[in-house]
Amino acid sequence: MNMNDYSAELEFAKKLAKEAEEIALKYFSFEVENTWKGDNTPLTVADTEINDLVIKRVGENYPEHSIYGEEKSVIKENSKYIWVCDPIDGTMAFSAGLPIFVFSVALVDQSNGLPVLGLINDPIMKNMYWAYKGGGAYRNGKKISVQKNTTLDKTYFNVAASGKNIGFSNLPLIKKMSEEKCHVMKYPSFIYGAIQVANGKYIGSAFYNKYGHDVAALKIITEEAGGKVTDLNGNERRYDTDGVGCLVSNGILHDEMIKIIQSGKVS
């Protein structure tokens, strides 16, 4: 692997995303059935099949790499890289026949826990976002960048539900953003909304949960688009394991958003 060029890994990720898209669309309908996991979130056969596909393809092409999937992982001892995947982010919407879900995958350097490549694919709108370290961020081949707004007024913000295990409530943020005339939205797929920061549509997005698979691809794509991504305390975090949520922003307003998020700390 050329440390300065991840084009081969990017092409692999694109092909993988299109295969995952075929599986998702095969099952997507109002009649899709789901079971329930221990954390009270739904699981469909599409989630499992796509996760298995990722494990199979990575094993065929990069047998020395590990895989961290939402549904299943394969950890190789002393592997330098790990593929971090959310097979279907937005399973609640998917299982209800609602077209708000994406596939997400990132290649993370395990020496520091930071992604070097990320890809997010929206099978319904046919929008594929990608970036690799030093290469810029793109949507369907067109370069994208974050908004340059210096105030929250007349902007959009995406927020996830408050997490039970990271010590924050999102209610103060929602209240303050409204006071600042920033319009807050919440989607059943966090990534679906959060990628719009890199796409130049949203000013920021806050993830109130611990998982790395929900935010790994967002990290590299957003920062290659000129934005900033940290945990909810404003610190760097790893993306191959759990962390203290995530704030995705245009960078300019990042510190202001962190202060607002901090007002929602709970004991």
Side-chain angles (χ1 to χ4, degrees), residues 223-267:
E223 295 196 341
E224 285 294 326
K228 185 174 181 178
V229 182
T230 68
D231 72 11
L232 296 184
N233 291 314
N235 301 320
E236 189 58 270
R237 60 161 288 177
R238 298 185 68 96
Y239 293 84
D240 54 357
T241 188
D242 293 345
V244 186
C246 203
L247 172 63
V248 180
S249 83
N250 73 334
I252 300 168
L253 294 167
H254 197 87
D255 291 345
E256 182 176 345
M257 293 175 188
I258 287 291
K259 288 179 182 177
I260 297 171
I261 287 170
Q262 290 291 298
S263 69
K265 271 194 170 182
V266 294
S267 56

Side-chain angles (χ1 to χ4, degrees), residues 28-54:
F28 180 61
S29 72
F30 284 117
E31 283 73 44
V32 66
E33 296 180 357
N34 66 272
T35 57
W36 292 90
K37 297 189 288 187
D39 62 357
N40 200 35
T41 58
L43 176 69
T44 72
V45 66
D47 294 271
T48 304
E49 282 195 19
I50 293 171
N51 205 132
D52 288 344
L53 170 72
V54 172

Side-chain angles (χ1 to χ4, degrees), residues 31-87:
E31 283 73 44
V32 66
E33 296 180 357
N34 66 272
T35 57
W36 292 90
K37 297 189 288 187
D39 62 357
N40 200 35
T41 58
L43 176 69
T44 72
V45 66
D47 294 271
T48 304
E49 282 195 19
I50 293 171
N51 205 132
D52 288 344
L53 170 72
V54 172
I55 290 172
K56 179 180 180 181
R57 292 291 183 253
V58 171
E60 291 169 347
N61 292 271
Y62 301 101
E64 71 280 13
H65 293 181
S66 293
I67 302 105
Y68 164 27
E70 180 177 10
E71 312 308 336
K72 189 187 299 182
S73 301
V74 176
I75 306 302
K76 303 287 183 70
E77 188 175 356
N78 300 320
S79 62
K80 178 169 174 53
Y81 292 97
I82 183 167
W83 292 88
V84 179
C85 175
D86 196 335

Side-chain angles (χ1 to χ4, degrees), residues 104-108 112-120 130-133 137 146 190-191 194-195 197-198 212-231 234-240 245-249 254:
S104 176
V105 67
L107 180 62
V108 174
N112 56 18
L114 297 177
V116 296
L117 178 152
L119 182 147
I120 293 166
W130 69 79
Y132 63 79
K133 191 174 181 180
V146 298
F190 174 74
I191 300 173
I195 189 58
V197 179
H213 55 71
D214 288 283
V215 290
L218 287 168
K219 166 73 172 177
I220 182 82
I221 298 174
T222 302
E223 295 196 341
E224 285 294 326
K228 185 174 181 178
V229 182
T230 68
D231 72 11
N235 301 320
E236 189 58 270
R237 60 161 288 177
R238 298 185 68 96
Y239 293 84
D240 54 357
C246 203
L247 172 63
V248 180
S249 83
H254 197 87

